[in-house]
Amino acid sequence: MVSWHPSIYIAKKTPKAAKKILAAPPLILSVSFIILILIGTLLLKLPIATTAPVTWSQSLFNATSAVTVTGLVVFDVGTVYTTFGQVIVALLIQLGGLGIMTFAIVTLLALGGKIGFFQNTIAKEAYNSTNSSTLVNTAKSVFIFSLCVELIGMLILSISWSDELGWKTSLFHGFFYTISAFNNAGVGLSPDSLIPYVEDPVINLTITALFIIGGLGFSVWIDLWRQRRWAKLTTYSKMMIIGTVIINAVAVLAIYCIEYNNPMTLSPLSETGKWLASWFQAVTPRTAGFNTLPINELEDSTTALMLMLMFIGGGSLSTASGIKVVTFMVLILATYGYLRRYETVYVYHRGISKETISKALALAMISVGTIWASIFFLLLSEDAPMIDIIFEAVSAFGTVGLSRGLTPNLTMAGQFIIIFLMFMGRLGPLTLAYFLASPKSKRIRYPETKLTIG
């Protein structure tokens, strides 16, 4: 006997009775990421992976950061890790960014296997999808699309760095930075990230193109490839594209205006350099993690803007995290609809279901609550300015990887708080809350009541 609601029950008959094993798909997905993190921790602790002694907590932190594609590291990856260690970091980023289920499905198909009900359900949870019939095709498309984009990015970056670094080093840098950028990790091989290339148009545009493509969402790119016309795109794709364009445009203009006369950021740059730097810092908080300007030298208003951008994040079924762009837009539309007393909220001639609005609200509330609680405990454990702690917490939850310099100085307690934030931010608050509060149907309905709000 096999049933699923809301979790999966696998029954195995015995002479006495049937034994049931409860396995919620989000729990299986969470355990898969934990296993990958532990494997990464062991590999990064090997003597062959490091050039200096590394503690277990540091290996766990960096492995978690790589698997959750965050980018926060407690030391410089380019100097402390050997080439072997750097390759392990890149592979962990790739596996974590594209998702374990993508590789599991593609590997199973390559071996001639079939996707069963159990694997299908877990894959739906990993892809945040409700359509079982398209999961296998989605996994194949994601895998092929990712490899093609990464190959192009690697070639461009390798050629661009060849004169400066030589072909051997430039190829490895192209390989590492392409994986890190496309998967929105932001892990670099230099302690100053991409600051030396602040006015290099090829590096700036290639890196930003990689993490925008990865962060927009694979479902949007698949939709664009199949439909190729704006009118035929799904409502989600339209909202994601419009939301991304508006948010990026507003952020670029805001950073350009705020930082224009800042002698530590834009002021010394040429006019082209100012726009390139503004563009890069406007789009990188969408969970990319690279920076071409010193984060701790930005104006407070720019920092506040970046906090909002990191909280919003990218798109669903992407390498980005955060509450997601469409979630943010649904909350705005629902608020506007309530103020105008609309019975139904509409977008592109489609009504947004109350379930979708409730899910968006729950996701936002869990996210805010988690970040607030983490900030509270970080304030207790760390001796650092409050703005640095807030920035670190939001960056970790959004799996962004930007920091004002706090990461290497975290206490043991602080490291574990950030590890929790990175893990929760990657899997999503609703995924983790799923098996903590599984839906239960109530047969008794009580009369409604009105409460005073505000």
Side-chain angles (χ1 to χ4, degrees):
M1 175 181 177
V2 178
S3 62
W4 186 85
H5 182 77
S7 303
I8 300 175
Y9 294 85
I10 303 177
K12 183 179 180 181
K13 292 186 178 181
T14 62
K16 294 182 179 180
K19 296 180 180 180
K20 295 182 179 181
I21 301 175
L22 175 63
L27 179 59
I28 299 298
L29 192 62
S30 302
V31 170
S32 300
F33 271 88
I34 291 174
I35 292 174
L36 182 58
I37 289 172
L38 294 178
I39 294 173
T41 302
L42 292 173
L43 292 174
L44 293 178
K45 189 68 172 62
L46 295 174
I48 193 178
T50 61
T51 60
V54 175
T55 65
W56 282 105
S57 62
Q58 290 174 327
S59 295
L60 176 63
F61 189 98
N62 288 349
T64 304
S65 180
V67 172
T68 59
V69 294
T70 302
L72 294 173
V73 288
V74 290
F75 50 70
D76 179 30
V77 172
T79 56
V80 177
Y81 286 131
T82 62
T83 301
F84 173 81
Q86 293 166 9
V87 170
I88 294 300
V89 171
L91 293 178
L92 291 175
I93 291 172
Q94 185 80 321
L95 287 168
L98 297 185
I100 295 175
M101 289 311 302
T102 301
F103 286 92
I105 291 175
V106 171
T107 302
L108 186 61
L109 291 174
L111 295 175
K114 295 182 179 180
I115 305 300
F117 176 76
F118 184 63
Q119 295 89 344
N120 202 24
T121 307
I122 298 174
K124 281 174 27 178
E125 193 66 39
Y127 293 134
N128 192 25
S129 172
T130 57
N131 191 346
S132 302
S133 61
T134 61
L135 281 175
V136 174
N137 289 333
T138 299
K140 289 180 179 178
S141 300
V142 167
F143 189 76
I144 296 173
F145 175 77
S146 301
L147 290 182
C148 291
V149 172
E150 288 179 336
L151 179 60
I152 295 172
M154 177 181 172
L155 290 175
I156 295 175
L157 292 177
S158 298
I159 293 173
S160 178
W161 276 323
S162 60
D163 292 338
E164 176 188 353
L165 304 175
W167 274 109
K168 184 178 179 180
T169 304
S170 65
L171 281 173
F172 184 76
H173 273 62
F175 159 78
F176 190 94
Y177 278 91
T178 295
I179 290 178
S180 186
F182 180 73
N183 290 286
N184 279 240
V187 179
L189 298 176
S190 172
D192 52 4
S193 191
L194 294 172
I195 292 178
Y197 306 99
V198 62
E199 296 193 74
D200 188 321
V202 176
I203 300 299
N204 275 260
L205 297 178
T206 302
I207 293 291
T208 54
L210 284 169
F211 61 65
I212 288 175
I213 291 172
L216 191 61
F218 299 114
S219 60
V220 175
W221 291 109
I222 293 172
D223 195 24
L224 285 169
W225 175 260
R226 291 174 178 172
Q227 305 301 336
R228 303 185 185 184
R229 289 181 58 186
W230 177 261
K232 293 185 177 182
L233 295 179
T234 63
T235 303
Y236 171 81
S237 296
K238 292 178 181 178
M239 291 180 67
M240 188 62 211
I241 294 172
I242 292 296
T244 299
V245 170
I246 293 175
I247 291 173
N248 287 347
V250 171
V252 170
L253 292 174
I255 292 175
Y256 178 84
C257 294
I258 296 171
E259 299 292 331
Y260 190 85
N261 293 317
N262 187 340
M264 304 303 295
T265 56
L266 295 188
S267 183
L269 305 178
S270 65
E271 191 63 25
T272 301
K274 287 182 172 66
W275 281 110
L276 283 174
S278 299
W279 161 255
F280 198 99
Q281 291 309 137
V283 297
T284 195
R286 309 291 303 287
T287 81
F290 289 112
N291 60 286
T292 57
L293 295 175
I295 301 300
N296 58 334
E297 299 292 349
L298 295 171
E299 300 288 353
D300 289 344
S301 51
T302 302
T303 302
L305 174 63
M306 293 180 71
L307 287 171
M308 174 60 72
L309 295 174
M310 291 191 296
F311 182 73
I312 294 173
S316 299
L317 189 51
S318 74
T319 57
S321 296
I323 65 169
K324 306 300 172 55
V325 172
V326 172
T327 302
F328 179 69
M329 295 179 69
V330 167
L331 291 173
I332 293 178
L333 292 171
T335 302
Y336 178 78
Y338 175 79
L339 294 176
R340 297 301 300 268
R341 294 295 189 267
Y342 294 153
E343 293 185 2
T344 304
V345 180
Y346 293 96
V347 58
Y348 292 110
H349 307 292
R350 294 290 188 275
I352 302 177
S353 68
K354 292 183 179 179
E355 181 184 0
T356 299
I357 296 174
S358 296
K359 183 178 180 180
L361 180 60
L363 176 59
M365 288 302 298
I366 294 174
S367 301
V368 170
T370 301
I371 293 173
W372 183 91
S374 300
I375 291 172
F376 176 79
F377 287 112
L378 284 171
L379 288 170
L380 294 176
S381 66
E382 308 304 311
D383 182 17
M386 187 172 183
I387 183 63
D388 292 356
I389 289 176
I390 294 174
F391 197 91
E392 192 86 3
V394 177
S395 178
F397 182 83
T399 69
V400 179
L402 294 174
S403 176
R404 291 172 58 88
L406 179 60
T407 311
N409 302 315
L410 287 170
T411 63
M412 183 73 71
Q415 288 182 21
F416 281 101
I417 292 172
I418 296 300
I419 286 173
F420 167 77
L421 279 172
M422 293 189 293
F423 184 78
M424 188 168 185
R426 181 63 184 123
L427 289 210
L430 286 183
T431 300
L432 292 181
Y434 180 94
F435 57 87
L436 295 177
S438 298
K440 297 179 180 179
S441 58
K442 292 185 177 181
R443 297 181 179 180
I444 301 176
R445 297 186 63 183
Y446 298 98
E448 294 183 352
T449 184
K450 291 186 176 182
L451 303 175
T452 302
I453 301 296

